[in-house]
Amino acid sequence: MRLFWLEFKRLTTSLTFLIYAVIVFAFIMLNAWSMVNSHLSKIPQPGSGDYDYIISKDDATLKTNALDQLKLEHHSNEYETYPAGFEKIVSLNKQKQAKVKLILNQAEKARTKAMLARQLQDVDHLLGGHSAYSHQNLQGFSFHPMTRREALHDHQLIMTKDKISGTFARFFADIAGIIVGVLPTIVVISYCYSDRRSKALPNIQAKFTSTGKWLITRYAASLLSLILPVFLTGILFTVKVANLYSHFSINYFAFLQVSRAV
């Protein structure tokens, strides 16, 4: 246990870790803090713009939305693609534009989702991939505005099952997962490199600590230290939600629960 806390202290007091913690905190705050101000306790009213979107199980909705967007993009010859996660507008030459128009006519006659998907996949190939018309992204066209009944049911789940904070916590986890999925590798590499320079392993072996025990201890200390900024930020979000919804029953552990799963 003493070795664990020595490793934990050594990692959390390093300059690399402090930079990591600041970046994680800033990234989560900039991308997620404003969403806490959403008035989830308010019952959505017709015409108020409070209705969210939901995935439809009706293939007709997917077909209508996909073809409507394709018609607009074909008309302007500006197609949205997202290579490496960044938006890129693609314009096609006359030959490829003619192919897209032909595919549009064929897609209008598609009787099944599978037929539609095959035709729109051809559009994705013409665009160079990474478009909304690929098999992987096609389901995104299934979203449609909630009906009043669906909105009220969703609100009831937020208040009873999620207890408000659970809804915020899932969004928090999505944002935290983006940054935590990238930066820890840099921190660990830097930490290992510093050990190599200081020749820490021979010193540890000289004190009769096995390599296996040292590696397991370091792994555990690294996990705790790398998730620590997320836990602390989650506590801050919990306090914010508790203050905003002080008259409602909330799950005070929601942010900590999702932080553990990030």
Side-chain angles (χ1 to χ4, degrees):
M1 183 59 70
R2 182 171 179 272
L3 179 60
F4 172 85
W5 288 114
L6 286 173
E7 289 286 347
F8 178 77
K9 180 180 179 181
R10 182 164 172 261
L11 199 155
T12 54
T13 55
S14 67
L15 178 61
T16 303
F17 175 81
L18 294 177
I19 295 174
Y20 161 81
V22 170
I23 294 176
V24 168
F25 177 79
F27 184 87
I28 296 175
M29 293 295 289
L30 289 173
N31 290 280
W33 185 253
S34 60
M35 62 91 186
V36 177
N37 295 318
S38 304
H39 301 292
L40 294 186
S41 60
K42 182 181 178 182
I43 298 177
Q45 300 296 325
S48 63
D50 293 334
Y51 287 7
D52 206 341
Y53 282 76
I54 190 172
I55 294 179
S56 173
K57 297 180 180 178
D58 182 11
D59 291 343
T61 299
L62 184 152
K63 179 178 178 180
T64 299
N65 292 340
L67 295 186
D68 284 349
Q69 178 168 321
L70 183 56
K71 288 174 184 177
L72 287 173
E73 294 187 335
H74 176 262
H75 178 73
S76 62
N77 195 13
E78 293 182 348
Y79 301 87
E80 293 182 1
T81 62
Y82 292 86
F86 296 97
E87 182 182 23
K88 178 184 177 182
I89 302 298
V90 175
S91 295
L92 301 178
N93 58 35
K94 290 183 179 181
Q95 184 180 3
K96 290 185 177 180
Q97 274 285 77
K99 289 182 180 180
V100 172
K101 186 175 182 179
L102 178 61
I103 292 172
L104 259 171
N105 294 330
Q106 294 172 340
E108 291 277 7
K109 302 174 184 178
R111 296 181 179 180
T112 66
K113 180 181 176 181
M115 292 173 62
L116 178 68
R118 285 196 299 270
Q119 290 159 353
L120 293 181
Q121 185 67 40
D122 292 337
V123 175
D124 183 67
H125 289 322
L126 290 171
L127 298 176
H130 309 290
S131 75
Y133 307 108
S134 66
H135 282 300
Q136 305 94 301
N137 300 327
L138 195 60
Q139 196 61 39
F141 289 112
S142 295
F143 284 93
H144 71 93
M146 288 182 177
T147 63
R148 175 163 175 75
R149 181 178 180 181
E150 290 169 336
L152 291 175
H153 178 66
D154 185 63
H155 178 264
Q156 183 182 19
L157 291 177
I158 289 173
M159 301 300 295
T160 58
K161 186 177 180 180
D162 281 349
K163 293 187 176 180
I164 298 177
S165 56
T167 302
F168 290 130
R170 285 195 297 274
F171 183 78
F172 170 88
D174 290 340
I175 296 299
I178 295 173
I179 193 69
V180 174
V182 177
L183 286 185
T185 304
I186 300 174
V187 177
V188 172
I189 291 174
S190 175
Y191 190 41
C192 293
Y193 181 70
S194 67
D195 272 353
R196 185 177 180 182
R197 288 186 302 172
S198 61
K199 299 181 180 179
L201 183 57
N203 291 333
I204 291 172
Q205 290 175 335
K207 296 180 180 180
F208 305 103
T209 301
S210 67
T211 302
K213 179 181 178 181
W214 175 65
L215 290 175
I216 293 173
T217 302
R218 163 162 290 191
Y219 177 74
S222 298
L223 282 181
L224 178 60
S225 59
L226 292 173
I227 202 64
L228 184 61
V230 181
F231 269 116
L232 295 178
T233 310
I235 292 173
L236 183 59
F237 272 79
T238 302
V239 173
K240 175 70 172 179
V241 172
N243 287 333
L244 287 176
Y245 299 91
S246 57
H247 300 297
F248 298 91
S249 174
I250 71 168
N251 179 3
Y252 290 96
F253 300 100
F255 285 97
L256 298 182
Q257 289 168 346
V258 298
S259 297
R260 183 179 57 185
V262 168

